[in-house]
Amino acid sequence: MNARNRSVKRIGVLTGGGDCPGLNAVIRGVAKPAHDYGLSVLGILDGFEGLVTGRGMELYNRDVSGILASGGTILGSSNKGDPFHWPEGTNGGTIIVDKSKDALRNYEAWDLDVLIAIGGDGTMSIANRLSQMGMNIVGVPKTIDNDLQATDQTFGHDSAVFVVSEALDRLHTTASSHHRVMVIEAMGRYAGWIALNGGIAGGADIILIPEIPFEWEVIYNHVLKRNMMGKKFSIVCAAEGAKPKGGEMIVKKIDEKRTDPITLGGIAELVASNIHENTGLETRYTVLGHLQRGGSPTPFDRILSTKFGTSAIELAIKKKFGRMVALKGTEIKSVKIEEAIARQKLVQPNDQAVKAASAVGVSFGTKDL
Ligand code: F6P
């Protein structure tokens, strides 16, 4: 029987792209009700890599017990498994090929009625293309970056913000003891949400984000002014994508095998070194890196992930395919996946959070706000 016409009996679930806290809570939120509905659940391993290469494991009720609070993903994940951009090793090096037909073949061989794809913008773009090839897809929005326009929040973001906030609390005490300027580098790629929200929560004095290019002089003046006021330390929270006016983001590495080939990094070191050279103040920098993606999800993320997972299975059963669950206000709704990937959600300079931070004296490194 054509999987499109029969009632939903078997679902596949995968976690794609970079991991984040809350993935296991979503898998649990999908699988537990699915079992109650009498459906069988196939966990696809390592994101789309497993879909292309045919690697999966049956997920039974016992497999999803006790995983609510655990970080990472029991299924594994990858940001190199794009079926439409598949790196294949040859004698002459690596070539990029299209393996989407293999993905479709495995979907059919596994007898799946629907695939629940948990991931960020890259995963949703791939899911959208697979859906155009005939797969039934339901999406769940994940990313610490919080840069998906169609949902008020992605799960994982709150946990990353918690890590930044806690790190800033710790840096405050040592910055204060040594009268230093401490610069922290937060993740977030092209969006500044983690640095902005983490910076506000952790009481940063300067927040630098990609959406608001900074001026070096404004940064130097801000830390010097604080120093003259008797505030002997300053905390700078910089997003990895922050850049000076007229400048570019710092690209650390390019790897064409990845869905997004660019790895960012290095801004905190540069900011710390320039502040030292231009103000004479002692500086140190800390790159938080993957600490922001590891560990247990916050209660907010556990709740959101559970709501997302259970709503995704409802959509699947109602055969509302090609849709992604989304938080709108306090409710979980759904949007078309193609709508979800149409536009990236970036910080607007007039965002309430930017205004609130400015009102309590935070500098965004510019006179323009
Ligand atoms: O998209 C999530 C994210 O953590 C970004 O904030 C960061 O730029 C990127 O992934 C890092 O990717 P990787 O784990 O491949 O280094």
Side-chain angles (χ1 to χ4, degrees):
M1 186 192 283
N2 183 327
R4 270 189 176 273
N5 298 328
R6 71 180 194 190
S7 64
V8 171
K9 291 192 167 62
R10 180 157 169 77
I11 63 162
V13 58
L14 65 77
T15 50
D19 71 342
C20 78
L23 285 167
N24 284 329
V26 176
I27 295 167
R28 173 179 176 268
V30 165
K32 284 201 167 193
H35 292 140
D36 286 346
Y37 282 120
L39 313 183
S40 65
V41 183
L42 179 81
I44 296 162
L45 300 177
D46 301 329
F48 290 108
E49 261 185 39
L51 187 62
V52 170
T53 55
R55 285 181 300 116
M57 63 187 250
E58 289 303 319
L59 279 184
Y60 300 104
N61 208 282
R62 62 171 182 269
D63 299 316
V64 293
S65 273
I67 63 169
L68 171 67
S70 59
T73 158
I74 56 166
L75 298 177
S77 194
S78 168
N79 40 27
K80 287 188 184 160
D82 181 348
F84 301 95
H85 185 93
W86 183 266
E88 198 158 69
T90 65
N91 287 340
T94 304
I95 54 163
I96 302 296
V97 296
D98 186 342
K99 289 272 190 180
S100 55
K101 290 209 175 90
D102 293 28
L104 188 59
R105 204 174 304 125
N106 285 323
Y107 173 90
E108 284 168 354
W110 278 323
D111 202 22
L112 298 179
D113 297 304
V114 54
L115 171 65
I116 297 187
I118 310 168
D121 53 350
T123 300
M124 290 309 141
S125 300
I126 296 166
N128 192 42
R129 293 182 73 181
L130 292 173
S131 146
Q132 286 160 359
M133 288 175 72
M135 282 190 208
N136 299 329
I137 309 263
V138 170
V140 181
K142 160 242 73 160
T143 166
I144 61 167
D145 303 344
N146 199 32
D147 59 351
L148 281 178
Q149 184 66 43
T151 181
D152 288 352
Q153 192 149 331
T154 51
F155 74 87
H157 178 64
D158 188 64
S159 303
V161 166
F162 180 79
V163 172
V164 175
S165 161
E166 210 214 356
L168 289 182
D169 287 349
R170 289 176 186 274
L171 288 175
H172 257 108
T173 60
T174 170
S176 167
S177 309
H178 288 270
H179 315 308
R180 282 173 173 161
V181 179
M182 290 290 192
V183 186
I184 200 170
E185 183 170 306
M187 279 185 165
R189 283 188 106 59
Y190 314 111
W193 295 108
I194 302 175
L196 173 63
N197 291 328
I200 294 175
D205 305 300
I206 299 176
I207 296 175
L208 306 176
I209 57 174
E211 298 89 337
I212 306 178
F214 61 82
E215 294 150 57
W216 289 109
E217 286 303 321
V218 176
I219 297 177
Y220 307 148
N221 290 338
H222 196 76
V223 289
L224 285 173
K225 190 168 146 210
R226 281 178 54 79
N227 202 260
M228 271 152 31
M229 287 164 76
K231 300 179 182 184
K232 298 289 183 208
F233 68 92
S234 288
I235 305 284
V236 184
C237 183
E240 61 182 354
K243 55 183 182 220
K245 263 190 184 170
E248 296 296 331
M249 295 176 178
I250 304 181
V251 175
K252 203 163 81 181
K253 215 169 63 185
I254 295 191
D255 179 355
E256 294 296 341
K257 292 183 200 146
R258 294 164 51 108
T259 308
D260 181 343
I262 286 172
T263 300
L264 297 170
I267 188 69
E269 184 176 7
L270 180 68
V271 170
S273 132
N274 279 358
I275 290 177
H276 175 63
E277 273 178 32
N278 290 277
T279 65
L281 296 170
E282 200 175 357
T283 61
R284 292 287 187 274
Y285 72 92
T286 304
V287 180
L288 280 181
H290 293 81
L291 288 174
Q292 294 156 100
R293 292 231 308 255
S296 194
T298 57
F300 178 90
D301 274 337
R302 294 179 199 189
I303 296 165
L304 184 60
S305 300
T306 303
K307 285 182 179 173
F308 273 167
T310 52
S311 301
I313 196 73
E314 290 297 327
L315 282 182
I317 282 165
K318 289 180 187 149
K319 296 180 145 194
K320 295 203 168 164
F321 304 132
R323 300 190 73 81
M324 183 191 85
V325 295
L327 179 68
K328 300 277 185 188
T330 54
E331 302 222 352
I332 308 296
K333 309 261 188 190
S334 72
V335 294
K336 281 190 181 157
I337 293 179
E338 58 196 21
E339 197 185 309
I341 55 175
R343 206 152 47 94
Q344 207 175 21
K345 182 171 69 180
L346 298 175
V347 177
Q348 298 304 311
N350 64 354
D351 189 281
Q352 211 169 30
V354 175
K355 286 186 183 160
S358 302
V360 294
V362 175
S363 168
F364 284 85
T366 177
K367 295 191 279 291
D368 293 346
L369 287 178

